[in-house]
Amino acid sequence: MPAWRNGGMTARLLVSLSGISARTLDRCAELSAELAHRRVPLSLLFAPRLAGAPAAVDWVRDRQRAGDALLLHGFDHVTVPLARRLVRRAEFAALPSHEAGLRLSAAVLALGRVGLATDSFAPPRWLVSHGTLAALRRMGFGLCADLTTVRDLRTDEVHRARILTLGHGERTEPWWCYALVLGAARQARRGALVRLAADATDLTRPGPRRAFLDAVDIALHIGAIPATYPGLRHTPLADAA
């Protein structure tokens, strides 16, 4: 498949936020304010069934009006057992096309009930099956962002760049934070796509939160241009292969 390119090798910076709910709304708003000060838009990964109170939905709607982007982030994040195995996988990591389509339809309906809509998708844990990709195309989605790839589902253009995240639990302190900042700098210097992902539940401690903002700042300092995931479909990008 072709990859987005431009001759100047200008890095793009994508910052996403998941874990949006009534319980985490204060942390979400704090991160949003920090990024707005830096003129960095957020890509909001939103699962309406997990949002809780209407305040979270209202906040997402307000952020869309302010220029942030919305991506559907699964249906209910229930892990799915593999056939005849005890291993459980993330919601859309191993689904065949028909089952993925049923879950996507339910997720789109749930999103519509709260007055939101999007044609962009990011699966829980960033893991997506081939069946899910087929279902997304069938349902008219335009973009899917997974662990290593951002796909334009209408043109089959792709951009390969791995997600940089804080990790979870003990992994966030201290070396994981250092690796996050280092990884952002490395990708930006290469003129690649810098994909930083935060979960609101990981922003409770000041160390990881500071490291995440440091990663944003160093990418901007090196010259990465802020964008959103849906915005990539209209912007030429350097290849990060």
Side-chain angles (χ1 to χ4, degrees):
M1 288 187 235
W4 284 305
R5 293 177 180 269
N6 70 7
M9 296 296 286
T10 302
R12 295 293 189 272
L13 171 64
L14 302 181
V15 182
S16 63
L17 175 65
S18 60
I20 302 167
S21 70
R23 183 173 56 86
T24 63
L25 199 52
D26 287 346
R27 275 168 268 156
C28 294
E30 288 172 3
L31 179 65
S32 175
E34 290 278 8
L35 294 175
H37 178 70
R38 294 163 170 79
R39 298 184 180 179
V40 175
L42 264 173
S43 294
L44 304 170
L45 278 52
F46 189 63
R49 282 177 61 90
L50 303 179
V57 176
D58 292 341
W59 182 79
V60 169
R61 189 180 294 113
D62 288 344
R63 292 315 309 160
Q64 274 193 288
R65 293 184 185 130
D68 290 344
L70 176 65
L71 288 80
L72 180 63
H73 192 42
F75 178 49
D76 57 13
H77 289 214
V78 171
T79 55
V80 179
L82 296 179
R84 299 183 182 180
R85 299 184 187 178
L86 297 176
V87 178
R88 300 187 70 84
R89 300 291 297 274
E91 184 181 8
F92 285 93
L95 290 181
S97 178
H98 176 69
E99 292 181 31
L102 293 176
R103 282 192 166 268
L104 287 170
S105 295
V108 169
L109 285 173
L111 202 64
R113 287 192 194 103
V114 297
L116 297 173
T118 181
D119 70 347
S120 299
F121 181 75
R125 300 186 197 170
W126 301 97
L127 300 174
V128 67
S129 66
H130 292 296
T132 298
L133 292 174
L136 287 166
R137 290 187 177 97
R138 189 170 64 246
M139 294 178 65
F141 277 81
L143 179 139
C144 179
D146 62 38
L147 187 66
T148 60
T149 305
V150 183
R151 292 180 173 85
D152 186 323
L153 298 172
R154 292 171 184 156
T155 66
D156 283 334
E157 289 181 307
V158 300
H159 190 78
R160 294 181 177 86
R162 191 173 184 85
I163 283 287
L164 300 174
T165 182
L166 284 170
H168 298 282
E170 294 181 357
R171 291 194 304 168
T172 61
E173 300 269 15
W175 67 270
W176 196 273
C177 296
Y178 178 71
L180 177 74
V181 177
L182 214 59
R186 184 182 303 114
Q187 290 294 84
R189 288 193 184 100
R190 291 174 56 198
L193 184 61
V194 184
R195 300 175 65 195
L196 297 174
D199 188 305
T201 58
D202 294 328
L203 299 174
T204 55
R205 286 179 288 175
R209 181 176 174 277
R210 182 68 258 167
F212 192 81
L213 291 172
D214 285 347
V216 171
D217 287 339
I218 197 167
L220 292 173
H221 177 73
I222 292 170
I225 298 174
T228 64
Y229 279 93
L232 294 186
R233 292 170 54 203
H234 312 292
T235 306
L237 291 172
D239 187 20

